[in-house]
Amino acid sequence: MNIRDENVLRELNLHPLWVRKNMPAVDEAVPVVAAAEAPVAESFQAAPVAVIPTAQPEQAAVATDWPALKQQVRDCTACKLRAGCTQTVFGVGDEKAEWLFVGEGPGADEDAQGEPFVGQAGKLLDNMLAAIRLKRGSNVYIANIVKCRPPGNRTPEADEIATCLPYLQQQIALIKPRIIIALGKTAATSLLGRDAPIGSLRGTVHDFNGTQLIVTYHPAYLLRSPAEKAKAWQDLCFAVQRMTP
Ligand code: URA
């Protein structure tokens, strides 16, 4: 193990408890917890997430190519979030990525920089990616359920999610990832169209329009609850296992 690997594992609270092996074998080192056995963990959201995954009836058709979609998101004023944010945060990364990570919505740093996961939670996400030998921008795309920062970082409301979700659905249709990792309860419940405790959604493979979807904790929750990082590591190993031919 090199120094960088040790730092990554230390960041994830896994060192020296677990030692990452070559990725194809990692699932042997960390058995995947079946959904039925998975402990029910606290959701990182205090507030329940209302799920309305369909577009609002009055909403314009979503653009079907990248440049038009980016422009449409930039110009979007379809919900009340746009009036309170600095800029829209479209998403970032490899537009042909096999891995798609979906968070909730931009925070203050993302709102200022126009890129998802660039604050403290983003630093942890980058380390989580590094732990499974992935890197932002290289075979990885990162996006959020809503493109505008909710005021005070509150949870996006159902109508905001419903208005914004078609943009993410179109991003997914264009990227065609092999796997979607839903980070936290808002991402998971919005994409799956049903409310459930995040602990009950982990450890199983869900389907999003034909693409496998795995649920794990949001990095911001992991920063507040570092003991849960071990479970996130299990989830990442599960995802790697799913992606290993
Ligand atoms: N939290 C999210 O859900 N998304 C971001 O982009 C940043 C923090």
Side-chain angles (χ1 to χ4, degrees):
M1 184 187 302
N2 64 31
I3 302 275
R4 165 123 185 93
D5 287 346
E6 284 187 30
N7 287 340
V8 166
L9 293 174
R10 193 168 285 114
E11 172 72 30
L12 291 173
N13 273 12
L14 299 170
H15 183 77
L17 189 62
W18 289 345
V19 177
R20 180 164 61 82
K21 299 183 176 173
N22 290 337
M23 288 319 298
V26 85
D27 49 315
E28 293 162 22
V30 185
V32 172
V33 181
E37 300 164 28
V40 176
E42 289 290 305
S43 148
F44 85 97
Q45 299 293 344
V49 179
V51 180
I52 306 175
T54 49
Q56 308 286 59
E58 69 276 11
Q59 205 168 339
V62 175
T64 52
D65 62 78
W66 282 115
L69 184 61
K70 288 176 186 173
Q71 188 64 49
Q72 192 176 16
V73 168
R74 250 193 311 272
D75 294 344
C76 183
T77 54
C79 85
K80 56 189 177 300
L81 289 182
R82 183 65 187 92
C85 73
T86 306
Q87 59 186 317
T88 57
V89 178
F90 182 77
V92 71
D94 180 350
E95 292 174 356
K96 298 209 179 315
E98 292 181 306
W99 293 78
L100 171 65
F101 289 78
V102 179
E104 177 179 299
D109 295 315
E110 293 75 22
D111 181 62
Q113 294 184 42
E115 181 172 328
F117 284 100
V118 289
Q120 284 308 304
K123 189 167 165 278
L124 177 55
L125 178 59
D126 286 340
N127 282 335
M128 290 164 72
L129 295 177
I132 53 170
R133 303 201 168 162
L134 292 175
K135 196 164 175 251
R136 177 184 294 249
S138 174
N139 204 21
V140 170
Y141 196 92
I142 304 173
N144 280 310
I145 294 292
V146 295
K147 311 296 190 211
C148 294
R149 182 192 182 198
N153 295 342
R154 68 160 168 76
T155 305
E157 292 170 0
D159 63 311
E160 297 157 355
I161 293 173
T163 304
C164 213
L165 201 56
Y167 297 136
L168 178 61
Q169 287 166 333
Q170 189 56 41
Q171 286 174 296
I172 295 171
L174 288 166
I175 297 166
K176 299 188 188 70
R178 279 181 62 207
I179 195 163
I180 300 170
I181 312 294
L183 300 166
K185 177 160 177 162
T186 299
T189 57
S190 302
L191 290 169
L192 296 175
R194 68 187 167 97
D195 199 2
I198 193 162
S200 71
L201 298 172
R202 293 179 50 243
T204 196
V205 181
H206 303 273
D207 173 76
F208 179 82
N209 295 341
T211 302
Q212 57 184 336
L213 183 150
I214 283 174
V215 173
T216 193
Y217 294 106
H218 192 286
Y221 169 74
L222 297 174
L223 288 174
R224 293 194 299 274
S225 308
E228 302 286 52
K229 286 179 179 177
K231 292 183 192 161
W233 175 242
Q234 282 184 324
D235 299 334
L236 293 177
C237 292
F238 184 28
V240 168
Q241 184 190 359
R242 295 290 309 176
M243 293 291 277
T244 304

